[in-house]
Amino acid sequence: MLERARDRLREMDIERPTAGAGEVLIRVRACAVCRTDLHVVDGELTRPKLPLVPGHEIVGVVDQLGTDVPFQIGDRVGVPWLGWTCGTCEYCTTGRENLCERARFTGYDIDGGYAEYCVADARYCFPIPPSYDDVEAAPLLCAGLIGYRSLRMAGEPEQARRLGIFGFGAAAHIIAQVAAARGQRVFAFTREGDVDSQQFARGLGAEWAGASGETPPEPLDAAIIFAPVGSLVPVALRAVARGGIVVCAGIHMTDIPSFAYNALWGERVLRSVANLTRLDGQEFLTLAPWVPVRTEVERYPLDRANEALAALRDGKLRGAAVLTVSS
């Protein structure tokens, strides 16, 4: 439980929730640790409900049904960041529910998966591909989904043939595999001196890996920035060719410094990605087993959640941290 921003999480006994209309109660088996969780805990996302159970990359089994839900007791499901939308606004009715101004988010507005049980809107639960176990599947629910949306926004493979990825963490290690399977050439950028991450990237299909300050061996067609570092925006713009697209994939980023207009000129595009849609989830969870995407995970028991967050904060993770839950 997070009781106040910038505090450590505290282990607490709370009343088991119950499923209401349109909801399911989920017995949590695994919950991945996302950088968004870190932004919430560290106070960089400033409006969470408090006290809060964090976590939005949840895998578990349905334990109780509310009314009018499409699942059965015992079904295995995943719960992502986007936890509820109104369904009636101009965004929801035009295929852009990720932009709903009344949206509620798992592990931010709604108690999440750092717990033995959680309640979720059944509309925003996804069946999990059977080829993944619970821990392997958990990072797919945000690192995978937001990464997939970012990859789509970077352009079709025919146009985004040379793809740069800045920040090689949980999302990047998944999406590098998808891009390589689509025939794209992947160029990975890491912190200076992070030889381990560069080797990791090459092992997942990157044909080149270097520090974010280095110039790639040839101009890129598109770039995705997963690291929450605003100073990477002009770096990425300078790395893409004319007509190239730079996608900022995070929900939070440090301030972007000023840069010369020439870095943007030439019909380069700079855009952000916000949340996800259910269609993103359906498409990606169908695609992942086909690639097949392999998730690299470091397991932590639930009572070591603070350690997992610290490892992510300090850049000490290879792939994704996943909390394992027994109940």
Side-chain angles (χ1 to χ4, degrees):
M1 185 76 76
L2 177 68
E3 297 179 284
R4 187 173 58 184
R6 293 175 289 280
D7 279 359
R8 287 173 59 84
L9 302 184
R10 189 159 74 90
E11 185 175 343
M12 299 176 64
D13 290 323
I14 60 175
E15 185 176 349
R16 188 175 112 168
T18 57
E23 296 178 333
V24 290
L25 175 69
I26 296 168
R27 179 161 49 86
V28 180
R29 288 179 171 173
C31 185
V33 177
C34 180
R35 185 163 291 277
T36 301
D37 300 337
L38 201 57
H39 293 318
V40 173
V41 171
D42 289 349
E44 293 165 331
L45 295 178
T46 58
R47 297 189 299 275
K49 88 171 193 69
L50 293 174
L52 171 73
V53 179
H56 59 273
E57 297 180 277
I58 305 166
V59 176
V61 294
V62 174
D63 197 71
Q64 182 190 61
L65 304 172
T67 55
D68 300 320
V69 298
F71 296 106
Q72 301 295 322
I73 300 293
D75 285 351
R76 190 170 68 136
V77 296
V79 183
W81 168 246
L82 185 61
W84 181 90
T85 59
C86 72
T88 59
C89 69
E90 63 175 307
Y91 297 112
C92 288
T93 55
T94 55
R96 298 177 293 164
E97 62 188 3
N98 59 307
L99 303 179
C100 175
E101 293 181 352
R102 294 170 56 198
R104 301 176 69 206
F105 302 100
T106 313
Y108 190 63
D109 304 299
I110 305 165
D111 281 334
Y114 289 20
E116 294 173 311
Y117 290 89
C118 71
V119 167
D121 186 324
R123 297 177 302 162
Y124 289 91
C125 295
F126 299 113
I128 297 297
S131 55
Y132 293 96
D133 69 24
D134 301 327
V135 172
E136 293 168 341
L140 301 177
L141 273 303
C142 186
L145 292 181
I146 295 299
Y148 175 67
R149 185 170 183 85
S150 301
L151 184 64
R152 286 180 50 233
M153 296 299 167
E156 294 299 319
E158 296 79 11
Q159 286 75 46
R161 294 170 298 162
R162 298 165 297 186
L163 176 71
I165 297 179
F166 288 79
F168 210 84
H173 99 281
I174 291 173
I175 292 312
Q177 297 174 65
V178 178
R182 301 198 316 173
Q184 293 169 273
R185 299 167 59 199
V186 176
F187 299 76
F189 297 81
T190 72
R191 296 178 181 179
E192 186 174 358
D194 191 352
V195 176
D196 288 344
S197 291
Q198 292 167 13
Q199 291 177 339
F200 184 38
R202 293 187 192 98
L204 293 173
E207 70 173 63
W208 178 89
S212 57
E214 292 185 51
T215 302
E218 54 191 282
L220 307 174
D221 300 304
I224 303 173
I225 303 175
F226 288 114
V229 181
S231 60
L232 290 175
V233 169
V235 172
L237 283 169
R238 287 192 290 267
V240 297
R242 294 185 180 193
I245 299 173
V246 174
V247 180
C248 299
I251 192 172
H252 171 82
M253 180 177 271
T254 58
D255 289 346
I256 300 170
S258 62
F259 55 88
Y261 176 61
N262 189 57
L264 182 64
W265 188 79
E267 299 193 350
R268 294 174 178 86
V269 175
L270 175 64
R271 67 179 308 164
S272 68
V273 162
N275 315 314
L276 67 139
T277 67
R278 283 171 286 181
L279 182 59
D280 293 328
Q282 293 158 7
E283 289 182 354
F284 177 68
L285 291 173
T286 299
L287 176 65
W290 173 83
V291 170
V293 168
R294 174 177 62 84
T295 56
E296 183 88 9
V297 298
E298 296 187 23
R299 300 170 186 241
Y300 291 79
L302 179 60
D303 60 7
R304 292 175 55 199
N306 284 304
E307 293 179 45
L309 286 166
L312 177 58
R313 185 183 292 111
D314 295 339
K316 294 180 178 178
L317 291 174
R318 181 184 175 96
V322 178
L323 302 180
T324 57
V325 185
S326 58
S327 57

